[in-house]
Amino acid sequence: MADTVSPEVRSRIMSRIRGKNTKPELAVRSFLHRLGLRFRLHAKGLPGSPDLVFPKYRYVVFVHGCFWHQHQGCTHSGIPASNRSYWKPKLERTIQRDIETQLALKEKGWNVEVIWECEIDEQRLSDLGERIRSAQ
Ligand SMILES: [Zn+2]
């Protein structure tokens, strides 16, 4: 895929992605937008209201926080030792809901991808952009 973004724009995007106060979802959005991909946000009509929806490619993307969605094996996903009886069922419900949501979307013919907060980097986002384009 041709690089449609100048080096300085890219470095600005990437510094925002790594920035401490940046919402990961905004970073993903701005990166994919710069690649020329167009999408809708939080489509209410679809299961789980996916964060990004690419109707042209039948593709949806969720940007998941590692803690809230319990990224397996990730250091950011530990359940707090205090109040464990509160957190554990709550987080397990989220995991279950995520599984059901993804199944429902796939049944409707959507390609589904999850981007984990801790894994957002230039290479992965470029690869994702390419997968979306080739899903046409
Ligand atoms: Zn993670």
Side-chain angles (χ1 to χ4, degrees), residues 30-48:
S30 87
F31 191 93
L32 293 176
H33 193 265
R34 299 262 177 191
L35 291 181
L37 290 161
R38 295 297 175 259
F39 44 83
R40 290 191 289 133
L41 299 174
H42 308 287
K44 298 276 183 254
L46 290 176

Side-chain angles (χ1 to χ4, degrees), residues 71-115:
H71 187 194
Q72 280 202 344
C74 173
T75 53
H76 305 292
S77 69
I79 297 177
S82 63
N83 251 335
R84 210 180 150 78
S85 59
Y86 168 77
W87 284 110
K88 199 164 181 292
K90 186 182 175 68
L91 294 170
E92 281 171 357
R93 275 197 301 278
T94 302
I95 294 170
Q96 190 55 39
R97 198 169 53 234
D98 287 344
I99 292 169
E100 287 163 10
T101 294
Q102 290 176 31
L103 274 175
L105 285 162
K106 284 173 187 166
E107 275 168 15
K108 289 174 187 286
W110 290 88
N111 299 288
V112 182
E113 288 228 23
V114 171
I115 304 277

Side-chain angles (χ1 to χ4, degrees), residues 43-84:
K44 298 276 183 254
L46 290 176
S49 302
D51 297 318
L52 288 80
V53 181
F54 303 79
K56 185 178 168 192
Y57 304 100
R58 291 295 281 179
Y59 228 97
V60 300
V61 173
F62 291 93
V63 183
H64 277 178
C66 297
F67 174 70
W68 291 108
H69 295 271
Q70 289 292 289
H71 187 194
Q72 280 202 344
C74 173
T75 53
H76 305 292
S77 69
I79 297 177
S82 63
N83 251 335
R84 210 180 150 78

